[in-house]
Amino acid sequence: MVENGQDVTYGMGDATYRAVGGHEGLVKLVDDFYDAMDSLPEAKKIRAMHREDLTESRDKLVHFLSGWMNGPQIYAEKYGSINIPMAHAHIRVDESDRDAWLLCMQHALAKQDYPQALQDYLMQQLFRPAERIRQVSEAHHAP
């Protein structure tokens, strides 16, 4: 794919991190994500899984996504190591919760000035950890 006159392959090196606008771009994306979670009726249940004050959740997601997109590995520096599925295992997450989370991200991505190819790539890639969280939660809460 060619973007701004450069050949860009998302997922290679820090191409995805740069494409979203680096740290500032991630802050905007995450703010729009949590704003969607606050406003979308489909997200009411997953919003209730969070604290009322989303400051720490916003910060953690920015830090996580930075490393996940091969940008600076700042999550571990601030919060320590993380296994995303296990970090959510205590919460009952079903398919509708996974889909609500992804819907919030889709809304947030649509508010960014990202090429459609980047939005599609991120949604495809984010499905994997979202689904893994659901699988681990299901196994953890199985009778």
Side-chain angles (χ1 to χ4, degrees):
M1 130 160 300
V2 177
E3 199 175 287
N4 297 328
Q6 295 181 339
D7 187 22
V8 175
T9 303
Y10 303 125
M12 298 300 292
D14 67 349
T16 306
Y17 180 77
R18 286 184 288 111
V20 300
H23 186 80
E24 288 180 19
L26 283 178
V27 169
K28 184 174 181 338
L29 175 64
V30 168
D31 283 345
D32 288 340
F33 169 80
Y34 280 109
D35 290 350
M37 189 181 289
D38 269 338
S39 63
L40 293 174
E42 299 93 336
K44 186 176 183 171
K45 183 179 170 195
I46 63 169
R47 177 59 180 93
M49 296 175 183
H50 293 76
R51 294 181 179 150
E52 185 174 332
D53 180 357
L54 292 170
T55 303
E56 184 177 50
S57 294
R58 289 172 190 260
D59 192 60
K60 283 184 171 183
L61 187 54
V62 167
H63 281 66
F64 171 75
L65 288 174
S66 178
W68 184 77
M69 293 180 183
N70 291 321
Q73 302 293 314
I74 55 178
Y75 188 95
E77 293 171 12
K78 187 168 184 179
Y79 296 106
S81 64
I82 187 168
N83 175 320
I84 290 293
M86 290 308 296
H88 293 82
H90 67 284
I91 304 168
R92 287 186 181 269
V93 177
D94 62 23
E95 287 181 11
S96 68
D97 302 326
R98 177 204 62 205
D99 293 348
W101 191 94
L102 290 167
L103 179 66
C104 292
M105 188 55 74
Q106 186 175 29
H107 276 257
L109 287 167
K111 293 185 82 173
Q112 312 314 303
D113 188 24
Y114 296 162
Q116 188 62 49
L118 176 58
Q119 293 180 49
D120 294 345
Y121 172 79
L122 288 171
M123 287 303 297
Q124 198 173 39
Q125 295 302 308
L126 287 166
F127 178 84
R128 292 178 179 140
E131 173 60 10
R132 190 71 188 121
I133 288 168
R134 185 200 65 77
Q135 291 170 347
V136 168
S137 172
E138 187 176 272
H140 185 77
H141 294 281

